[in-house]
Structures are given as structure tokens and as C-alpha cells.
Amino acid sequence: MHNAKRSLGLRYAFSVQHYAFCAFIRIFRAGISKSVSMEAPVNNTLQLFRNLVGTKFQLYNSLFTSLPFHRVEKTGIFLSLFLLHCEEGFDKEQSPAEILKTFFEQYTTYKDEQQQLDILFRFVQYAERQVVLFDALEDAAFRDIHDMQGSGTLRQLQSAVTQAQAEPALAEKLKDFAVRLVLTAHPTQFYPGEVLGIINDLSKALINDNTAQVNMYLQQLGKTPFFKKEKPTPYDEAVSLVWFLENVFYHAAGRTVTFLKSHFPEAFSSRHALIRMGFWPGGDRDGNPFVKCATTLQVANALRGAIIKCYYQDVRKLRRRLTFRGVENELARLEQQLYGNLFIPGHRVDLDRDEILGILERVRNTIQEQHNGLFVNMVEALINRVELFGLFFASLDIRQDSSVHGPLLETIAEQSDALPDNYASLSAEEKIKVLLQVSRPVNSNLLQDELQRDTLETIKAVQTIQQTNGEEGCHRYIISHSTSALNVIEVYGLFLLSGWKKEQISVDIVPLFETIDDLRQAGNVMRALYENEDYRQHLHRRNNTQTIMLGFSDGTKDGGYLMANWSIYKAKEELTRLSREAGINVVFFDGRGGPPGRGGGKTHQFYASMGRNISNKEIQLTIQGQTVSSNFGTIDTAQYNLEQLVHAGITNELFSSRQVTLDASEEALLQALADEGYRAFNQLKQHPGFLDYLEHTSPLRYYAEANIGSRPSKRNKDAKLTLDTLRAVPYVGAWSQLKQNVPGFYGVGSALQQLDKAGKWEGLERLYRQSLFFKTLLDNCEMAMIKSYFPLTAHLGKDPQYGPIWRMIHDEFQLTRQYLLRLSGAGSLMAANPVDQLSIQMRERIVLPLVTIQQYALTRIRELEKQEEGNGRREVFQKLVVRCSFGIINAGRNSA
């Protein structure tokens, strides 16, 4: 077999392009059939996916062999052979180093390490572009593969509401219900902006089957660099995400609201936005020293400019259609005002949201009264967008860690008479009393520390943003690591010290609870705040509403997958009860990342599973990592996923027949599972070599060198690496690239096993059938597991230093897989979702060469470190590790 393949691989003179085409067809056709589980039903949707994504990937991938790049033909052939060689090698339990050694011996004449490294780097470049092609094909096929009018869509909602004659209930729900998607400052993905544009254009060409254009875009892709030589600034990150606002969310959110308004016009209030966008780049300074007050103002200006540009383009389109008497002059005046705000300095104050709406409403009325309603739908679509986005486009959130505020207030007490001299020695209760009595502002110039001065200036800048972009432009201050009522009152006091009057603080102060202990104490913190008269008055002025953020990332690091999810559920339950008793409307803001280990996965199913004992006044969640481009990268995908969230939030309340509240016995089972999962995860976490294992066997150390985000990988760059200082993106992403995905499954198998031994298996089966919350929890766990691949790191199991931890993780994976399959009755993970299963498995197969190369490079780095060898060789392997990260993370789509 090996001799035949070697002979075939080296016979380039026969026909390089013909061989490459055949190799790719053979390999990826084998990959498709190999990837689909035998039990998966070959339904129409799965067949569509095979045709529109799988088969087209085989065909267009072969075009790479004819691209006019340096030695690309050999790269394509070698890579196709290397993929097969990796699979065969791992089947034989070989290590990545052994696989690379035998590959070079059998298929090449390369003996020199530099020659071998050269082809490995070209493998990386080639595989990166394969991932892009696969992304574009999935985007292009989205509308065909997903039922845009089926379950969870607004079409289904319309049918259900009409059939149940639930229009009055819908109108009541829509009075204050909203979905808020907050684009965060975490890395959007490893793609630079230029590549994102190519993906977008490539998808359109694929939809139209325009092979000539596809070929041109693939050539452009081949010549476009993926690697970022310098870190982006926070403003660069903002600009990248503004692209999604302009090109995707502006259209998708507008369509969603227009559909509902057209079918249920009486259910909508023009002053209440059903969909709201939030924004963290430029406002989130938690652990990011590069976000300054000037950055926040600059990003706010960019958001205002972006939405005005969208309006300007739409008004120009309107003028081409509305050439009628009585509307032409109105639109010309509006176009001139928008143009002035965009391009002429000093015109910013000449425009506001109400004025734009007033002009458009007059135009609409004139068309309806005098021109038979011709093109009125275009005007109404623009009105809906202006109502949604105002002049702010997305609300810019300010976020800072609680540890910054205390020292700042102590410094203010030392440097001014705004606070008593003995402030630092006061008790928490005394500090709260003092802060609520602040009567004079403090000059930020008195502060020598740059961070402290900037914190105070940022609070002042919120007023500036509200004056130009409207109150919605910046009206939330989020406090990370909130552990007490004092943490919240400290921020309230800082607003008073910045010159805000109590009755004028038009900002919601949002505590963020994340660790297991913080989640358990959240009820006590909020009870103390609700009982504080001054703070109650503040809430009264804020529409009697308190927003509370609940984060998954630190909870997963702290307590493992089950305990983090269950602790958040219980915290929501208790906080809902406390808030209702206090007469406060509580809104939960979920800090969900892309992968299940950070609260991601099928998020709309989680919202649909919440019982009536948990407030769902609004759905608010962060959108970050590859989730931005994978779930909201095109108008179709964004509209579909927006509709799923809107549908989940509305139907859960409208149709009482869907009783999803857990009863006492079900809660007891989930609590027992969480406790057992917590115990198992703590055994792993408390192993003395746990973090050392992750740091040395994964790319964790090299995240900062990838230049994908402005934020450091640790909250304190000078602090020792701990789970507390380590940020969630590198933590979860490192496990993902290691193909072990610990945050998404560890402890689940142990928990199920312990309850099975306790004779509670029948109860678990019943819970799995009846509770959407529990089923979604385990479905997302399966998603994390199917992206794991332990043969990649099996060689570590024999390592004297890392072997014990590898075996703990591997054994827990096997145990979890065994129990999940027993519970679901399936023969493979994600068997109930064959399209997603196939998509993931094809992606994982594309990047198998990359993860193999990356593990080989990490092995070489460890060897060179032990030998204390230099000469730049270690740096080259480090670069190879980083370069592999791009394709691996991008292929995962929700892995960081």
C-alpha cells in the first residue's frame, strides 16, 4: 500500500493537474461517506448538504491545483496524501512526530529540516484557504439547507398566533420584549477584513454558480495574506465589527421587524425596538490597557457615521423611485442633511432621530393619500430601521473590572475633599452611605495614575456620547467580578463624582456575576441593592428595570460544564423571585461565547427551555468569536438566527401549553448532576500539573502572537498564570486546538455514572425526554465532544509528566460518550442532527493535517527547550504553531 502510494505521489510528470483532481475527489468523497454515521437518515436536507457543500467542495477545491502560485501543484498533491497518511498513522497509534517522519521518508526526498518546514508552512497556507472555501459554500447553501419558514421562524410564529387567536397576547408581550445582540471585543475570528470580504463575494458567486468568478476569487484568496503582522487596535476591532452592522444586521434586523409589523401592525409600538444591537469594542476596558476614553469617543463617532451612511444610501435609492410631487423635496432635504453629517464638519447637531422619522412619515402619508401607496413598502422599511438604530446603530457598553473602582475612590479621598479622608478605613456599609451622599464633582486632572484618570474621564464621556448619538448610544456600565452591593454603589458614586446629578444618571449599572461563588451570592447582593432607598430611586428613574449580566466563561473555568450552567439557571431563578418580590423588572444579559464550554451552542434552545420562574422580559446575549461570522455572517444566516431567538422568547410566554418549568424532583436531579460534575472537574483542576499541561501541550502560550485581538491573553500580564488571570478565549481555544474540549464535557460522564449507580437512571431518562433545558445542555455537550480527537494526543498518555492528566481527560471523554449515547439511544454523537454532524466532521477532516503539524511543532519546541538549543529553530516552530491556529480556529466556527 505504502509503495503504491509513494509511486503514485512521485509520478508528477505524468499529469500533475489530473492527478491532483483525482486525489482530491477520491479523498473528499471518501471523507463525506466516512463522516456520516451509518444510522443517520439520508433525508432530503442531508442530501442537499452533500450536493451543495460536499460535492462542490470537491470540485472547487481542485481549482487550487491550477492556481498560478509557487509550487502549488505539488502542495495540493502532497497535502492530499498527507491527509490520508495522518488518518492511517493515527489508526496505528502513531504520534504526530512519527507521522511526519514517515511521511517525509515515504513521499518526499526532503532530508533537510528547512525543506520539510517549507512544505509544512505551505500546507498551512493551502489548508487555510480550503477552510475559507468550505465557509463560503456553507454560507451559499444556507437558504437551501435550512427551512426559512419552518420551526422557530416568524412564519411559523405567525401561523401559531393566528391559529390560536393570540394577537392580544402577542401585543402585550411585544410592549417590552426585545432581543439584544451584543457584539463583543473578543476576537471576531482569525480572518483579516480583506478575507471576510472575499468570503462574502465568493458566497454570492457560488449561489449563482458563476464558476469564472469563483475561480477569480480563489486566485485573489491565494494572493491575500491571512497573517496579521501587528495586533489590531481596539478601534481596528470596532471597524471590523461595524462591517457586520452595515452589511448584515442593518438588513437582517430590518427585515425581521418589517415582517412582524406587516402581519401584526397593532402589536407594535414605534418607540420600542424589538431588536437592539450592543457593542463592546472601544467600551470594554476590562483587562485591556489599550482602550482609552479617546477610543470610546472615536468608536461612538464611527457607529454614528456608519448608520447615517446606511440611511444616506437608502434615501438615495428612495429618490430614484419616489419621483412624485409632494415627496421629492422632502427626500432631497433629508439626503442633504445626511450628506452634511457624513462629509461636512460641523453638521453633526443638525440631525436627530425624530427629525428623520418625521420626514419619512410625512413622505409615507403623502404617498398613501396622493399616489396610491406606490413604493410605500420601501419607505416603511426605512422607517423601521430608523426606529431600530436611531443615530447610534449599536449601544456602546462600558465595562470595567470591580478591582479598579475601589483604589480609584481611595485616591480621590486622598487627593480631594469630595470624599472623607478616612474613606479607605470605612466599612462597606459606611462607604455606601458616603458614596450616596456625594455632592460635588472631582477634577480628573488631580489623578496621577493614568488608568484612574481615564476611568473618571470615560464616565464623563458617556454624557458626550448621549448628546450626539442619543441616550441609547451609551447607557450601560458593566462591572466585572461583582461580589458585593458596594461594587455597584462604587460606580454610582463615580457618576456623582464625575458631575452627574442623581436624577440625571441616564445609565444602567449592570453587575456581572460569573464564578460559582459569585453566582451563589448574587441574590444577597441584589437584595441589599433593592433595599437601598437611593438605589431604588435610581431604578425607578430607569423604568424600574435592573439588568444583571451572568457570565459563563469564568463559571466554566471555576466549576466545570454542568455546575456553570446549573448555577446560572439557579441564579436566574432566585434573582427573578427577588426582583418580582421587590417590584423590579429584571433583565438577564447572558455572556455567552461561541462554544458550549462558554455557554454557546444552540442558544435559542436554551431560551426556549426557560420556565416561567425565570424572567424573559428580554433576551440579551453576547455574540463573539467565530459565532459572529458563522451565525450572523450573511443576511440569510443572521435573519434566520434572529428569528429563532425572537421566536424562542415570544412563544415561551404566549403558549402556556408548553410547560417547561422544572419540578422539584427534576431540580434535585440536576443539582445532583451539577454537584457530581463539580467534584469530578475539581479533581482535574486541582491536579498540580493541570495548567502546566495545558500551557505546554497546547498553543496557549502563543495566543498573544496570533495578533487577532488587542486584548492581552491574561488580565494582568505581569501576574503568574492562573485560572483567574487567564482569559476565556485562550483557555477554551487552547483546549479546542488540542482537540480535547475539556470545558464542554468534563464531569458529565462522571455525574451520569454516579446517578446511575444511585439508581436514578430512569429519572434521568425521563428528564432527558421532558426537559428541553437538560436535553439542550447535553446536545451542546455532544457538539463539544464531536470536535474532540484523542488519537492526536494519544502519545501524551505515555509521557511521564503529562500522561496522568491526559488519561484523566481521555477516560472522562470515553465515560461521557458512553453515557450520552445510552441516554439518547443513538449510535454516534449528534446523530439526531446529521447535517451539523457532517459539517463538523468534514471541517475536522480538513484541519486534521493542521492539528497534526501543530502538535509536531509543539513536540519539537519541548525537545529544543529541554536541550536548551537556540539558533532560531525554536522561533520557527513557534511561528508554525501560531500559523496552524488560524485554520484550526476558523474551521471550528464556534471554538473560541
Side-chain angles (χ1 to χ4, degrees), residues 316-333:
R316 285 180 62 85
K317 292 175 185 175
L318 277 179
R319 289 197 66 194
R320 292 181 64 180
R321 301 278 77 84
L322 304 183
T323 52
F324 320 136
R325 185 179 294 111
V327 299
E328 192 175 19
N329 291 340
E330 290 271 28
L331 288 174
R333 182 163 64 88

Side-chain angles (χ1 to χ4, degrees), residues 264-326:
F264 304 104
E266 303 301 320
F268 269 86
S269 165
S270 61
R271 297 302 176 186
H272 178 72
L274 174 66
I275 297 171
R276 300 169 181 170
M277 298 304 301
F279 209 73
W280 275 18
D284 179 12
R285 56 248 303 134
D286 174 14
N288 191 340
F290 307 111
V291 178
K292 308 290 186 184
C293 178
T295 312
T296 303
L297 290 168
Q298 188 182 18
V299 171
N301 287 338
L303 289 166
R304 186 179 192 275
I307 191 59
I308 290 176
K309 181 172 73 173
C310 290
Y311 296 157
Y312 175 71
Q313 292 170 338
D314 274 359
V315 169
R316 285 180 62 85
K317 292 175 185 175
L318 277 179
R319 289 197 66 194
R320 292 181 64 180
R321 301 278 77 84
L322 304 183
T323 52
F324 320 136
R325 185 179 294 111

Side-chain angles (χ1 to χ4, degrees), residues 189-224:
Q189 60 273 303
F190 283 57
Y191 293 138
E194 298 82 0
V195 176
L196 282 174
I198 296 172
I199 294 174
N200 188 270
D201 295 337
L202 184 57
S203 296
K204 292 177 182 176
L206 290 166
I207 290 172
N208 297 321
D209 284 324
N210 190 327
T211 306
Q213 273 192 334
V214 169
N215 193 24
M216 292 292 289
Y217 292 145
L218 288 177
Q219 291 189 49
Q220 181 188 3
L221 195 64
K223 289 183 173 291
T224 302

